[in-house]
Amino acid sequence: MTRTPSRTRPRAGARRALLCAALLAVTVQTTAAAPVSAVSPESAVSAESGGPGGHGGRDCVRTEGPRDDRARQILAITRKAKKDLRLKSVQLRVTVDGREVVTDALGESMTNVPARPDMHFRAGSVAFAHIGTALLQLVEERKVRLDDTVERWLPDLPKADKITLRMLATNTTGLHDYVTDPAFLAELEAHPFRAWTPEQLVAYPLRHSFWYEPGASWSYSHANYVLLVAALEKITGVPIDRLVEERVTGPLRLRDTQSNLTPEIPRPALHAFTSDRGLYEESTFWNPSWTTAPGAVITTHICDLARSAEAIGSGELLSPRSYRTLLDPGTVGLGGATEKCPATICLKQTEAKHFGFGVIVVNGWVLQNPSFSGYAAIQAYLPSERLAIAVSATKTATTPDGNTAEVVAQRIAAELAPGTPLAVG
């Protein structure tokens, strides 16, 4: 999942790389501090207005009319979580069987600018769930096979004759993760506005030997999806943003979920702040190009996120066979410490908690959980209850470390599905 280190103490303290929610807990070291966002207060406030050219998301609004007991309870849980976690804002939407239970936003985007449900935020690894679904559709159409090796599309990749599309999509290649590379982290922290190319990103893991032979274990690496995007674009001859729009976001009518080739966020934007580099600062327009390949760096709003949770989690766009692959593409049983790979990297994949095909499966919940540059979110779907929970959260200077949107969602899930904990952390 697209998750960056978030600093637990000012200045040169430990910076935690929160990768793949509970599936990953890798602590890495970084340093430095940096300038605040180069956006004027006037233009920032204008961005909240959803003015001309904005994407407004006018249909994503707070629940209107009387709220039932469930909605009131969810809001009470969310308000308490916001207070407990000292959050700046929380956006949430809960649906059951596709029907809205509650949609709301609490707190502020910026000082004196209330948060709204239609405000857009960075959705990071949610794109991986969409890309995984698009790949499975291509397999259904017999345009490619999951166990095709990638040397014809990625001839310069080491072990390309052993690495398959399935391995790239499920993080079983053995490639290191550049997000945990100290050299990469130092550069990212010092230059948060830098634009990264795929070649620059993949160069970091290729400096290291593989953790294991491709397919032999499991370890998370952002490089896998950078490479998968490159392969898919060559397979189809279609840019990844268009491919995903044609196959996933378009059919699902996710009108406010889109790829962004620059650090811009469609208006109205939910602003983010972080203490990652020792100083509590605005991070809204830090360049997200490092998170994955161009064309797969997305923004969304909370209503689209809930719809994405429901559609991806239920396999709406897939055949029953492909949906089974989405939930378990062969990762269960992989992972575990070896002489070369520590348990903190080669995490054991179990039936109760494992990486699926661009998604995470936890006690039957199907989810994705991006967290980086001051933004945190989760989309989670429980097929047995047809329950979708979407949460986005931003930080104050005293917000605890970690993906706080997960914590809010866990508390909501405990109320609505007490027998099936959303135990991400």
Side-chain angles (χ1 to χ4, degrees), residues 336-380:
T338 66
E339 184 177 343
K340 285 187 175 181
C341 190
T344 53
I345 300 294
C346 289
L347 295 169
K348 189 67 176 177
Q349 304 293 291
T350 67
E351 187 69 35
K353 188 179 294 184
H354 62 272
F355 197 88
F357 211 87
V359 298
I360 306 168
V361 180
V362 178
N363 294 331
W365 290 89
V366 185
L367 63 99
Q368 261 294 358
N369 54 346
S371 179
F372 63 100
S373 300
Y375 288 103
I378 184 171
Q379 66 168 48

Side-chain angles (χ1 to χ4, degrees), residues 72-313:
R72 287 192 292 269
Q73 185 63 24
I74 291 167
L75 285 174
I77 290 168
T78 304
R79 290 190 189 98
K80 186 176 188 306
K82 179 180 179 297
K83 180 179 179 181
D84 292 345
L85 299 169
R86 301 180 295 281
L87 297 172
K88 190 170 188 67
S89 74
V90 181
Q91 299 167 303
L92 73 149
R93 182 174 171 89
V94 176
T95 67
V96 175
D97 204 16
R99 292 187 291 273
E100 178 190 43
V101 177
V102 65
T103 304
D104 213 326
L106 311 176
E108 295 181 319
S109 170
M110 300 185 293
T111 302
N112 296 327
V113 178
R116 305 197 318 252
D118 65 345
M119 286 180 169
H120 300 88
F121 53 87
R122 301 201 189 281
S125 56
V126 169
F128 300 166
H130 298 168
I131 292 168
T133 290
L135 173 54
L136 287 171
Q137 291 175 349
L138 291 170
V139 172
E140 290 176 5
E141 296 163 11
R142 299 186 178 181
K143 294 179 178 178
V144 73
R145 295 178 302 176
L146 286 183
D147 295 318
D148 284 343
T149 54
V150 299
E151 70 269 23
R152 75 188 82 171
W153 308 298
L154 306 174
D156 297 328
L157 177 65
K159 300 184 186 288
D161 60 337
K162 297 180 180 178
I163 293 172
T164 66
L165 293 171
R166 182 193 302 269
M167 293 174 194
L168 288 174
T170 60
N171 288 288
T172 57
T173 63
L175 283 165
H176 280 235
D177 189 3
Y178 58 81
V179 168
T180 61
D181 189 308
F184 170 78
L185 289 170
E187 179 66 17
L188 179 65
E189 185 167 350
H191 304 288
F193 296 103
R194 173 178 172 175
W196 293 83
T197 67
E199 293 77 15
Q200 290 168 338
L201 296 172
V202 174
Y204 285 95
L206 294 184
R207 295 174 185 176
H208 305 276
S209 60
F210 283 59
W211 286 115
Y212 46 83
E213 281 299 302
S217 188
W218 186 95
S219 56
Y220 189 78
S221 174
H222 286 72
N224 289 323
Y225 270 82
V226 175
L227 292 165
L228 179 59
V229 166
L232 286 175
E233 289 186 331
K234 290 185 178 181
I235 290 166
T236 63
V238 177
I240 195 65
D241 55 342
R242 203 173 90 209
L243 182 71
V244 170
E245 182 179 8
E246 290 173 354
R247 291 181 169 274
V248 181
T249 59
L252 297 179
R253 299 185 180 179
L254 303 182
R255 293 175 297 173
D256 284 80
T257 301
Q258 66 180 65
S259 166
N260 302 279
L261 296 176
T262 73
E264 183 181 10
I265 297 179
R267 296 180 291 176
L270 180 72
H271 284 243
F273 304 82
T274 184
S275 301
D276 278 359
R277 302 182 310 159
L279 172 70
Y280 183 66
E281 58 187 329
E282 176 159 4
S283 51
T284 308
F285 299 105
W286 285 2
N287 196 312
S289 58
W290 62 269
T291 58
T292 190
V297 180
I298 65 171
T299 54
T300 192
H301 64 30
I302 202 67
C303 295
D304 271 14
L305 192 67
R307 177 71 179 113
S308 172
E310 173 193 337
I312 298 298

Side-chain angles (χ1 to χ4, degrees), residues 3 45 60 85 125 326 348 368 410 418:
R3 321 223 25 197
V45 171
C60 187
L85 299 169
S125 56
L326 178 90
K348 189 67 176 177
Q368 261 294 358
Q410 286 166 4

